[in-house]
Amino acid sequence: MRILPNMMNLNSLKDSKLLDLSSHFVGGNHVEFPSDKEFKVIEPRSGKVLTTWHFATKDQVDTTVKTAKTAQEHWANSTWMERSEILKKTADLLKTHCNDIAYWECISNGKPISEARADVLSCVDTFNFYSGVAHDLLGRHIPLDSARYAYTRRLPVGVVAAIGAWNYPIQTCTWKTAPALACGNSVIYKPSPLSPVTALILAEVLKCAGLPNGVFNVIQGDAETSQHLILHNDVAKVSFTGSIPTGKKIMKSCAERNIKPITLELGGKSSLIILNDADVDSAVSCAMMANFYSQGQVCSNASKVLVHRSLLEELTTKLVNRTKLMKVGDPLKEETKVGAHISADHRNNVEGYINSAIAEGATKLCGGDRITVEGLENGFYLSPCILTNITPKMKVYREEIFGAVLLLIPFDTEEEAITIANDTDMGLAAGLVTKDLARSYRVSEKLNAGNVYVNTFNDVSPLVPFGGIGQSGFGRENGIAVLESYTHQKSVFVNTGDCPNPF
């Protein structure tokens, strides 16, 4: 392991030399882990290779885990006020350098700069929130009788292996890291090779905020690297965001060598129900938010938009017209609403879903076309697509598309819409548009999903738990609920009198 110089200060974030610092951050330093497994970091907006980095090997993973374990033992003994101050300082630094971090999020992921900026600001909120949750980590005192009492304590689990997704690189990292650190754990974060940059920037921010060396580490890797990390005896907890097939493999691995808790935030096949009393303009906005944000690369997206037949013609006209006006282009430009897909392979996969639907009888109302952006001719662009004449036998009806493809499906009754929405084993999200408050409560109660949106969609807050049921995984990110995932509870019984003799 060769230690490389860190950034002189966060004001140099915009410098392209940032990519020369190294792909790994271990023990408070950028380090060079030589290996024979290389991967190219590609800019989605241009298709250009930015740099070539290396995946960590088994021995390098072991070195990182040992570093994190040693650091965690000291971090766990820090006072809550010390932790709170560092998390608050991290939030302040993220806010100060929001524009530069958003720039790298855009370069690494391809989403519009306005969305990238919003993602970084959401990370500010997350670190601020978890800087103030000390009271939620307090134990309880339980009187048993005049001589006996018990008390409970919430203690950190130890070393947390966090494996992130490419669609929200810094936000996914923050959702796992902020609460884990607040609870006194150390973190080893493995970002997706498709968007590996901003986790390293967060490591720099945490270091500048005063986080002790080794408490937060970043290693680059593939499935084999993840396996080495998950199977390591000193890793006490795994948190994963990604696909269902990978989640199943990780869950199996977590029980293979030594049982360890796991949080799985997986895929979804969600629906948005537009009821007959809905405001059409508001419904159109909700449908677009549920499908076209971040090029449709959102796990909770409602690709199935269920529209009451009485509103279908008006809503379809307005939805198609607004979709055609969405600016597809360079994600670094403020006017861009739809940026680049994460990779050429993923864009091709989304196109494959559109073509299969058309071959099975669907009708394309607009979009689904490759877009060539001047100066960025090799970027991975695709216009937002709307399909109709969808049937339950179609591949697009059943599978997660993970792209900007909206399926218009008419219905006649409330019960029919609920049945269609629940016709999936991926219970991550669902939504509805209605003016009737009583109706919104009634329908929300019947939807089989971990997150339900009423007159909105894809809304998030660090105060509110996020996660799914069924094939969409278990455990929660955000809110107070996540603290249980990063702590274990110890119960202590105390007898102040003579020890009872049962014999």
Side-chain angles (χ1 to χ4, degrees), residues 299-320:
C299 56
S300 54
N301 264 6
S303 59
K304 294 193 294 186
V305 175
L306 316 182
V307 186
H308 192 273
R309 208 172 293 274
S310 64
L311 302 178
L312 185 60
E313 183 177 353
E314 180 185 2
L315 184 135
T316 299
T317 299
K318 290 187 174 183
L319 181 60
V320 169

Side-chain angles (χ1 to χ4, degrees), residues 482-503:
V482 74
L483 300 180
E484 294 193 8
S485 299
Y486 293 115
T487 58
H488 67 82
Q489 189 163 254
K490 176 183 285 187
S491 299
V492 180
F493 288 82
V494 180
N495 176 33
T496 63
D498 295 332
C499 184
N501 185 354
F503 305 106

Side-chain angles (χ1 to χ4, degrees), residues 31 36 101 179 211 217 233 254 269 294 305 358 428 471 491:
V31 301
D36 58 1
I101 299 170
L211 187 72
N217 310 272
N233 288 332
C254 283
K269 188 63 181 179
S294 196
V305 175
I358 294 171
L428 184 56
Q471 295 277 68
S491 299

Side-chain angles (χ1 to χ4, degrees), residues 48-289:
K48 173 182 161 186
V49 176
L50 299 176
T51 189
T52 299
W53 282 348
H54 295 82
F55 292 145
T57 65
K58 182 178 182 180
D59 289 343
Q60 292 158 356
V61 168
D62 181 61
T63 297
T64 306
V65 174
K66 288 177 178 176
T67 300
K69 184 179 181 182
T70 300
Q72 190 273 330
E73 292 169 356
H74 295 283
W75 178 242
N77 290 324
S78 62
T79 67
W80 171 252
M81 291 305 296
E82 291 170 334
R83 290 185 220 163
S84 177
E85 185 177 347
I86 290 170
L87 295 180
K88 184 69 173 67
K89 180 65 173 176
T90 300
D92 293 342
L93 288 172
L94 286 170
K95 188 173 183 178
T96 298
H97 299 280
C98 173
N99 289 336
D100 289 344
I101 299 170
Y103 167 83
W104 281 108
E105 188 83 340
C106 181
I107 291 294
S108 179
N109 172 271
K111 65 175 59 185
I113 188 67
S114 58
E115 293 184 20
R117 193 180 299 117
D119 288 354
V120 177
L121 291 175
S122 78
C123 296
V124 173
D125 293 341
T126 301
F127 273 101
N128 272 326
F129 176 70
Y130 287 106
S131 72
V133 293
H135 61 285
D136 294 295
L137 293 169
L138 298 176
R140 300 183 63 190
H141 178 272
I142 306 130
L144 299 175
D145 58 34
S146 59
R148 295 162 53 243
Y149 66 89
Y151 64 89
T152 63
R153 295 188 65 201
R154 284 232 163 254
L155 301 172
V157 295
V159 178
V160 173
I163 303 171
W166 51 257
N167 58 333
Y168 283 86
I170 196 166
Q171 189 184 75
T172 302
C173 184
T174 296
W175 279 14
K176 300 178 187 304
T177 299
L181 295 182
C183 293
N185 303 288
S186 62
V187 176
I188 301 172
Y189 189 77
K190 193 206 80 65
S192 165
L194 295 174
S195 54
V197 178
T198 45
L200 293 166
I201 295 176
L202 181 60
E204 286 279 1
V205 172
L206 286 163
K207 181 180 177 72
C208 290
L211 187 72
N213 292 342
V215 177
F216 179 74
N217 310 272
V218 178
I219 58 171
Q220 307 294 344
D222 55 3
E224 184 178 346
T225 308
S226 296
Q227 188 77 348
H228 295 322
L229 188 58
I230 293 163
L231 292 176
H232 200 289
N233 288 332
D234 288 331
V235 168
K237 157 78 182 178
V238 175
S239 179
F240 171 73
T241 299
S243 71
I244 293 172
T246 303
K248 289 180 178 179
K249 292 176 183 176
I250 289 176
M251 188 174 179
K252 181 179 178 181
S253 296
C254 283
E256 192 169 308
R257 182 174 297 174
N258 54 350
I259 295 174
K260 59 190 67 175
I262 181 171
T263 297
L264 295 176
E265 202 276 277
L266 308 177
K269 188 63 181 179
S270 308
S271 294
L272 171 66
I273 302 172
I274 299 173
L275 293 157
N276 60 341
D277 67 327
D279 177 84
V280 173
D281 291 328
S282 178
V284 168
S285 296
C286 287
M288 295 176 73
M289 177 62 75

Side-chain angles (χ1 to χ4, degrees), residues 22-26 29-31 33 54-56 200 218-220:
S22 173
S23 54
H24 311 282
F25 190 94
V26 178
N29 296 288
H30 289 277
V31 301
F33 278 152
H54 295 82
F55 292 145
L200 293 166
V218 178
I219 58 171
Q220 307 294 344

